[in-house]
Amino acid sequence: MNPNQTAEDESHPSITAASRRIQRLSLHLTPLPPSQPSPQLNMLTCAKAANKLEVDKVSLSTYMRGENRDIQEKIVEFFESRPDLQTPVGVSMNEHRELCMRQLVALVREAKIKPFRYVVDDPAKYFAITEAIGSIDVSLGIKLGVQFSLWGGSVLNLGTEKHRDKYFDGIDNLDYPGCFAMTELHHGSNVQGLQTTATFDPVTDEFIIDTPNDGAIKWWIGNAAVHGKFATVFAKLILPTHDSRKVSDMGVHAFIVPIRDLNTLQTLPGIEIHDCGHKVGLNGVDNGALRFRSVRIPRDNLLNRFGDVSQDGKYTSSLPTINKRFAAMLGELVGGRVGLAYASVGFLKISVTIAVRYSLLRQQFGPPEQPEVSILDYQSQQHKLMPMLASSYAFHFATQYLVQKYSEMKKMHDEQLVADVHALSAGLKAYVTSYTAKSLSTCREACGGHGYAAVNRFGSLRNDHDIFQTFEGDNTVLMQQVAADLLKQYKDKFQGGTLSVTWNYLRESMNTYLSQPNPIIARWESADHLRDPKFQLDAFRYRTSRLLQSVAARLRKHSKTLGTFGAWNRCLNHLLLLAESHTESVILAKFIEAVHNCPDASSRAALKLVCDLYALDHIWNDIGTYRNVDYVAPNKAK
Ligand SMILES: Cc1cc2nc3c(=O)[nH]c(=O)nc-3n(C[C@H](O)[C@H](O)[C@H](O)COP(=O)(O)OP(=O)(O)OC[C@H]3O[C@@H](n4cnc5c(N)ncnc54)[C@H](O)[C@@H]3O)c2cc1C
């Protein structure tokens, strides 16, 4: 008999069962310290010793979290020690906005963690900070990202020394809260269509910022509604000319525009600020709309790294065309996208951890006359959660790789690397955030009614994370950039060019694709073969190559009658599938590499198991394709 059980409980089995459930639920809400053995857990069927893989958790954690583990722990400890800085359930929008600002100020001024210092010099540390901060409150993570990555990042990456000297300290210590004002009411994804203008006035040596119509109002701008004092405003640079056109449009450039008085916080003359109001999530971030009426700023406020204007109105740039300058500017802004992909994996980890832990403890039904079983023992529950768990590991390593490439790019400024990171960040941001968004709903559902309690976080995580699919580049638009890049590489290959490192695998797998699948290998079905990383990766890459070849042929055919734009649209779903398949190939390759490089044998064995699950689950999900082309024979598919 349970020592806590009373005689009364014994005579009322339903009370016993209820109290057992309550105990287990409370375990989930207040997890035991790791050192304390849990008698309840030992009872559960799926935790039977025979099925357990012994893993050295410290080694695994050290391997996965690397050198930035300390700063992440420091952040979590700081917020845990400060109940006044924790976000209460049901907080109002206005309180949440102020709380987020207080949290950010406390992080920088009290905990002395200064994220801005790492934005350029140590991006891996910066992203580790944002991951930990996002786990405290997603709004806080985004507020931090707006301040340091978007507003601060635009000053550092698009400006020059004079801007760094003037603004660095204020951004770093939060004296200068700022915004990143790109999106307009009528133009979000299509950034080149922006209509705000910055017209140079050589007489006063100033730019005049104007919102020419309602559609050009800057919309959704984070930090604008309440706290921002500056904004990096993206606008078409207009120069006066002496020809009949009178002016020349030099394309979209970035300008620093003060929007509020530094001391009184009053809105400055010529600027109108509106509040975007209550949102589906992220209500700790004050998004606002900005309209400019002939706002004059000094010429120096042009962020002039890629293009400059002299006092007499002459334009200079090391880049020859508007398109090249635009691409260079956007290339420098991928940091935000890298950060979102990285943070999204963090939310996936949190939600899968909650759902798996709960599923181990929660018991429903069981064989007659026997204790109820853990819900994780149900095949359906495993099917929902285990591939998701595997994906969170896979995405962890893939986004670490992305951060590593991004850090290299920041140091080397190599043109090919910039293009590579652009495509890689687009693919991973889109793929990971879409996956996490779906998973958050699945995890909530996997936890039944208790998953719906606000305190268990699925609701806020789901609502806060949802927009990750849209900002920093809409996912559907980003995936098209990946597909376009693949097609460019494909074309280059047939013109004898070299493939960039990330896509290099295509050379071999395209050759495999062009020949028939090997009928003998197609029948192999042993566990060793199915768990062979070469088989898994070949299968992923074969699929990508097949999609690439077939969509290229379709585009060629349709462009004759529909033109390039029409043909692209006719093949759009095919293109999106190609981009998805390619991104999955990259993710698997990085996962396999990470398993291989893991120094601790027990961790390596555990990671290998999870990696196999990731790979085989994907192959299984698309088994129809593999069967259709006899890449996998019927016996193997079974
Ligand atoms: C909470 C929040 C915070 C934000 N913060 C900022 C900020 O601080 N600064 C800032 O500048 N912006 C910010 N934004 C704006 C954000 O970056 C844009 O919403 C985003 O870029 C998408 O643009 P859009 O809303 O105009 O969508 P649209 O571009 O209109 O897209 C709408 C739909 O059309 C589809 N679509 C569009 N083009 C294509 C195409 N070529 N092919 C196929 N489908 C297509 C998309 O997939 C999408 O489903 C924020 C937005 C939100 C909601």
Side-chain angles (χ1 to χ4, degrees):
M1 183 176 146
N2 179 337
N4 298 324
Q5 204 173 344
T6 63
E8 200 188 353
D9 288 346
E10 226 184 357
S11 59
H12 295 284
S14 59
I15 296 179
T16 319
S19 72
R20 206 175 59 210
R21 279 192 195 140
I22 289 167
Q23 274 179 20
R24 295 209 165 102
L25 278 173
S26 70
L27 255 182
H28 162 61
L29 298 173
T30 325
L32 291 168
S35 55
Q36 210 171 321
S38 153
Q40 282 89 343
L41 271 177
N42 290 341
M43 285 167 50
L44 300 177
T45 328
C46 64
K48 269 189 211 154
N51 298 337
K52 248 183 168 171
L53 183 73
E54 291 300 334
V55 182
D56 180 349
K57 284 185 229 150
V58 177
S59 300
L60 181 58
S61 172
T62 307
Y63 178 60
M64 293 198 59
R65 291 172 65 188
E67 57 193 31
N68 291 315
R69 183 183 167 157
D70 289 352
I71 197 153
Q72 290 193 322
E73 280 171 5
K74 190 173 165 194
I75 289 168
V76 172
E77 276 163 24
F78 173 72
F79 282 100
E80 272 176 3
S81 73
R82 293 288 301 271
D84 59 312
L85 293 178
Q86 281 158 25
T87 310
V89 169
V91 63
S92 75
M93 180 184 80
N94 288 338
E95 285 169 14
H96 198 178
R97 287 173 168 185
E98 289 313 315
L99 175 61
C100 258
M101 195 61 195
R102 280 204 309 279
Q103 289 169 329
L104 195 55
V105 169
L107 177 82
V108 170
R109 298 189 187 160
E110 294 176 44
K112 307 275 183 229
I113 291 173
K114 307 248 179 164
F116 195 44
R117 308 201 169 169
Y118 309 117
V119 164
V120 173
D121 296 338
D122 189 353
K125 186 172 252 171
Y126 175 75
F127 294 125
I129 293 173
T130 59
E131 186 190 19
I133 286 294
S135 75
I136 307 295
D137 181 337
V138 188
S139 283
L140 174 60
I142 295 301
K143 183 105 178 155
L144 182 148
V146 169
Q147 171 68 11
F148 300 122
S149 186
L150 295 183
W151 149 237
S154 61
V155 173
L156 293 187
N157 293 316
L158 303 181
T160 46
E161 207 53 38
K162 62 183 176 186
H163 300 110
R164 191 188 168 98
D165 290 348
K166 186 165 176 189
Y167 294 99
F168 190 97
D169 288 347
I171 295 172
D172 184 48
N173 64 24
L174 293 171
D175 281 346
Y176 294 171
C179 321
F180 177 90
M182 182 179 267
T183 304
E184 295 175 358
L185 193 52
H186 282 182
H187 288 96
S189 301
N190 181 8
V191 181
Q192 259 177 313
L194 297 182
Q195 293 178 313
T196 303
T197 53
T199 309
F200 184 60
D201 178 355
V203 178
T204 58
D205 200 23
E206 290 171 322
F207 287 104
I208 308 161
I209 311 289
D210 268 305
T211 302
N213 54 59
D214 287 354
I217 295 174
K218 294 289 178 187
W219 206 268
W220 284 128
I221 309 307
N223 248 351
V226 181
H227 297 123
K229 295 179 180 170
F230 296 89
T232 293
V233 174
F234 290 81
K236 290 192 291 186
L237 168 51
I238 308 291
L239 288 180
T241 57
H242 300 295
D243 58 19
S244 56
R245 286 179 305 152
K246 300 267 191 262
V247 290
S248 177
D249 176 354
M250 306 308 295
V252 175
H253 286 64
F255 303 82
I256 295 179
V257 183
I259 58 171
R260 287 193 174 87
D261 184 277
L262 284 180
N263 300 315
T264 65
L265 272 179
Q266 286 296 310
T267 306
L268 292 174
I271 304 215
E272 280 174 24
I273 303 181
H274 301 274
D275 195 325
C276 289
H278 202 267
K279 305 188 289 289
V280 172
L282 293 182
N283 280 303
V285 184
D286 51 316
N287 292 90
L290 300 170
R291 178 191 266 276
F292 305 97
R293 296 187 194 275
S294 299
V295 175
R296 288 180 169 268
I297 54 167
R299 182 168 55 90
D300 261 354
N301 285 22
L302 164 67
L303 292 170
N304 59 344
R305 176 161 162 208
F306 296 115
D308 206 356
V309 175
S310 63
Q311 201 170 352
D312 58 355
K314 294 238 165 45
Y315 186 82
T316 48
S317 170
S318 55
L319 300 165
T321 61
I322 286 187
N323 282 347
K324 286 229 179 239
R325 291 194 286 272
F326 185 70
M329 182 177 79
L330 292 192
E332 282 302 328
L333 299 176
V334 294
R337 197 171 287 162
V338 176
L340 283 195
Y342 198 84
S344 182
V345 184
F347 303 132
L348 182 63
K349 289 178 197 166
I350 293 172
S351 59
V352 176
T353 305
I354 296 173
V356 170
R357 277 191 188 156
Y358 179 78
S359 300
L360 273 164
L361 299 170
R362 177 71 166 176
Q363 296 184 315
Q364 292 291 293
F365 305 102
E369 311 301 327
Q370 287 181 44
E372 290 180 296
V373 301
S374 152
I375 56 172
L376 196 57
D377 277 343
Y378 290 110
Q379 195 182 44
S380 52
Q381 191 80 351
Q382 293 172 6
H383 199 79
K384 279 179 206 166
L385 296 180
M386 291 301 119
M388 220 185 269
L389 181 69
S391 294
S392 61
Y393 280 88
F395 297 171
H396 171 88
F397 292 116
T399 49
Q400 276 202 332
Y401 170 69
L402 172 63
V403 169
Q404 179 203 325
K405 295 303 275 179
Y406 175 76
S407 308
E408 281 170 26
M409 181 193 101
K410 284 274 145 218
K411 286 201 180 82
M412 289 159 60
H413 301 291
D414 171 72
E415 208 176 303
Q416 184 54 55
L417 195 54
V418 172
D420 249 18
V421 171
H422 184 83
L424 188 64
S425 62
L428 284 176
K429 183 270 183 185
Y431 190 86
V432 168
T433 58
S434 290
Y435 186 94
T436 299
K438 287 189 206 93
S439 302
L440 284 164
S441 285
T442 310
C443 285
R444 199 296 297 152
E445 189 234 316
C447 293
H450 293 296
Y452 202 59
V455 71
N456 285 328
R457 299 186 65 190
F458 291 123
S460 58
L461 281 172
R462 187 174 56 186
N463 287 356
D464 288 343
H465 176 276
D466 191 62
I467 195 65
F468 279 45
Q469 299 172 96
T470 301
F471 57 24
E472 288 292 337
D474 169 85
N475 284 357
T476 308
V477 174
L478 290 182
M479 278 306 204
Q480 291 180 61
Q481 293 175 10
V482 177
D485 194 58
L486 282 163
L487 284 158
K488 183 175 169 298
Q489 302 275 341
Y490 177 76
K491 203 168 138 218
D492 287 353
K493 175 187 152 65
F494 285 103
Q495 288 171 353
T498 51
L499 291 170
S500 68
V501 180
T502 318
W503 312 155
N504 208 12
Y505 76 84
L506 287 170
R507 184 183 301 282
E508 198 189 322
S509 54
M510 276 197 284
N511 292 339
T512 318
Y513 171 68
L514 289 171
S515 56
Q516 285 299 309
N518 183 325
I520 299 174
I521 298 178
R523 298 188 62 78
W524 285 355
E525 58 181 20
S526 71
D528 279 353
H529 170 66
L530 295 176
R531 295 192 62 193
D532 180 354
K534 177 161 168 34
F535 156 69
Q536 296 166 354
L537 203 51
D538 280 353
F540 273 52
R541 290 172 167 181
Y542 177 85
R543 178 173 181 253
T544 309
S545 296
R546 192 171 170 275
L547 287 162
L548 179 55
Q549 305 257 346
S550 51
V551 83
R554 284 188 65 211
L555 281 171
R556 257 197 312 276
K557 181 180 127 198
H558 289 303
S559 57
K560 287 181 195 139
T561 48
L562 301 173
T564 314
F565 189 88
W568 186 268
N569 198 18
R570 175 65 68 89
C571 302
L572 195 46
N573 287 336
H574 197 158
L575 288 158
L576 294 173
L577 202 59
L578 163 68
E580 203 177 285
S581 175
H582 165 71
T583 308
E584 285 167 356
S585 300
V586 173
I587 292 171
L588 179 63
K590 291 298 137 197
F591 200 175
I592 289 172
E593 215 173 281
V595 174
H596 179 78
N597 293 339
C598 179
D600 171 63
S602 73
S603 308
R604 196 165 56 246
L607 288 174
K608 170 79 177 97
L609 208 57
V610 181
C611 184
D612 289 341
L613 175 59
Y614 178 80
L616 295 173
D617 180 59
H618 277 273
I619 294 173
W620 172 245
N621 285 339
D622 201 24
I623 198 69
T625 303
Y626 291 109
R627 276 291 306 113
N628 276 347
V629 291
D630 278 332
Y631 191 87
V632 167
N635 65 315
K636 190 174 193 168
K638 272 189 204 147

